[in-house]
């Protein structure tokens, strides 16, 4: 499944999607950035409630296919702009991380 | 070992918004060289952890990446406070990061362990009050 397909499921809001064709292969949930860098795998959907600028760098370096902000977490506009520039897909959802992971898992 | 390609970066201390710029730039450069994506991922994550450590713990520093024919070397050099007990610092979960840093998602004490995990060789030289130099190597 691609990020575009995930985003068109109606479950998730698109905050930005500069790389819609990125493939999704698994999920990683975490808010501690070094844990994410140590454990998330390339092409994972990264579900988090962190929203500061460093999230964009971590997403980029970890090669995750998409950041999914749980619990209706929002992004400052400068963070969003950086995400667009760096080619990082960002979706959001009112669901909890657990519920969001179940939804993604049911679709891959 | 013929040509060596060097990339040098000054890493600004105390600037969180631009922290990671050097690592992201390195990722681009290595992509342009056509290296294997998993190698690039390991190099850039290890470098980012080191870069962030210099920003959080050492007021910034200098980063060098040397690309040799069969390995990549990352050297991160700072003149920060130094690491008192390197063995302890290398343990998963050990961190002296302040609360404000933790609220950003850092300070899990996983940076140095990640740097070791993602590289084939890692050396820390540190003197309290003088600074820290971390040298990492990823084989190609
Ligand atoms: N360049 C450095 N200068 C001084 N101290 C350092 C440096 N790098 C690491 N340290 C010390 O080693 C500890 C462990 O570093 P490590 O990167 O593993 O964890 P952290 O930076 O605290 O948290 P995380 O990396 O998970 O965000 C730090 O908390 C700090 O005390
Ligand atoms: Mg660290």
């Amino acid at each position: 499944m691609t990020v575009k397909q995930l985003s068109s499921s109606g479950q998730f809001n698109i905050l930005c999607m500069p790389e819609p064709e990125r493939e999704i292969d698994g999920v990683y949930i975490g808010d501690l950035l070094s844990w994410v860098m140590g454990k998330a795998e390339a092409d994972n959907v990264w579900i988090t409630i962190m929203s500061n600028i460093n999230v964009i760098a971590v997403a980029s370096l970890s090669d995750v296919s998409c950041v999914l902000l749980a619990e209706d977490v929002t992004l400052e506009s400068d963070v969003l702009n950086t995400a667009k520039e760096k080619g990082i897909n960002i979706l959001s959802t009112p669901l909890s991380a657990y519920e969001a992971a179940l939804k993604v898992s049911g679709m891959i | 070992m013929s040509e060596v390609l060097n990339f040098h970066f000054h890493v600004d201390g105390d600037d969180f918004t631009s922290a990671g710029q050097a690592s992201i730039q390195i990722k681009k450069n290595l992509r342009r060289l056509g290296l294997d994506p998993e190698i690039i991922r390991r190099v850039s994550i290890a470098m980012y952890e080191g870069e962030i450590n210099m920003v959080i713990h050492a007021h910034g520093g200098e980063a060098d990446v040397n690309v040799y024919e069969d390995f990549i070397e990352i050297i991160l050099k700072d003149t920060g406070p130094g690491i008192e007990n390197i063995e302890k610092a290398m343990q998963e979960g050990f961190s002296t990061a302040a609360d404000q840093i933790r609220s950003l998602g850092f300070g899990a004490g996983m940076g140095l362990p990640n740097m070791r995990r993602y590289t084939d060789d890692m050396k820390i030289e540190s003197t309290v009050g003088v600074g820290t130099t971390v040298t990492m190597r990823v084989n190609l």
Side-chain angles (χ1 to χ4, degrees):
Chain A
M1 180 179 54
T2 64
V3 173
K4 188 175 179 187
Q5 287 166 325
L6 180 72
S7 74
S8 58
S9 66
Q11 309 279 354
F12 307 112
N13 311 310
I14 303 169
L15 299 192
C16 71
M17 199 166 53
E19 299 280 350
E21 300 306 327
R22 283 289 306 259
E23 275 295 325
I24 292 171
D25 178 12
V27 172
Y28 186 82
I29 303 176
D31 304 316
L32 296 174
L33 302 179
S34 288
W35 274 99
V36 176
M37 283 185 286
K39 305 284 182 175
E41 289 171 17
D43 297 333
N44 280 178
V45 171
W46 171 24
I47 303 178
T48 183
I49 53 167
M50 293 306 271
S51 60
N52 63 72
I53 187 79
N54 303 291
V55 166
I56 308 305
V58 169
S60 165
L61 296 164
S62 306
D63 282 340
V64 296
S65 47
C66 160
V67 178
L68 176 51
L69 299 171
E71 314 275 7
D72 260 341
V73 163
T74 54
L75 283 187
E76 303 280 344
S77 62
D78 58 328
V79 177
L80 198 55
N81 286 335
T82 307
K84 283 178 200 157
E85 256 170 54
K86 306 278 182 214
I88 304 301
N89 299 316
I90 306 199
L91 308 180
S92 78
T93 176
L95 299 173
S96 71
Y98 168 66
E99 292 164 328
L102 286 181
K103 286 271 191 286
V104 177
S105 157
M107 292 173 67
I108 23 184
Chain B
M1 230 178 294
S2 47
E3 287 282 287
V4 45
L5 211 54
N6 169 264
F7 303 105
H8 178 82
F9 301 90
H10 173 73
V11 177
D12 206 358
D14 311 309
D15 183 3
F16 266 103
T17 47
S18 68
Q21 288 312 310
S23 311
I24 288 173
Q25 186 58 47
I26 275 299
K27 183 162 195 174
K28 272 189 205 151
N29 295 354
L30 297 182
R31 269 198 186 143
R32 229 170 273 143
L33 293 177
L35 295 175
D36 172 56
E38 195 50 34
I39 296 273
I40 296 176
R41 188 172 185 271
R42 287 167 56 207
V43 168
S44 51
I45 290 178
M47 180 170 172
Y48 179 72
E49 292 283 14
E51 189 184 348
I52 288 288
N53 277 354
M54 289 202 299
V55 175
I56 295 177
H57 306 297
H59 321 294
E62 303 295 321
D64 279 283
V65 176
N66 299 314
V67 183
Y68 294 90
E69 205 176 299
D70 48 4
F71 66 93
I72 296 177
E73 179 183 53
I74 308 155
I75 304 170
L76 302 157
K77 193 175 167 58
D78 68 62
T79 52
I83 302 174
E84 227 175 82
N85 185 336
I86 293 176
E87 207 180 311
K88 207 165 153 189
M90 286 296 299
Q91 283 170 11
E92 294 193 357
F94 177 84
S95 174
T96 59
D99 284 350
Q100 174 242 341
I101 304 290
R102 287 174 196 263
S103 71
L104 294 171
F106 296 107
M110 289 297 286
L112 292 173
N114 277 349
M115 288 154 77
R116 182 163 58 188
R117 175 181 308 144
Y118 282 129
T119 58
D120 293 301
D121 189 56
M122 172 174 169
K123 191 175 66 184
I124 303 177
E125 293 157 293
S126 190
T127 308
V128 173
V130 177
T132 302
T133 301
V134 180
T135 308
M136 295 176 281
R137 196 189 255 233
V138 172
N139 295 332
L140 292 174

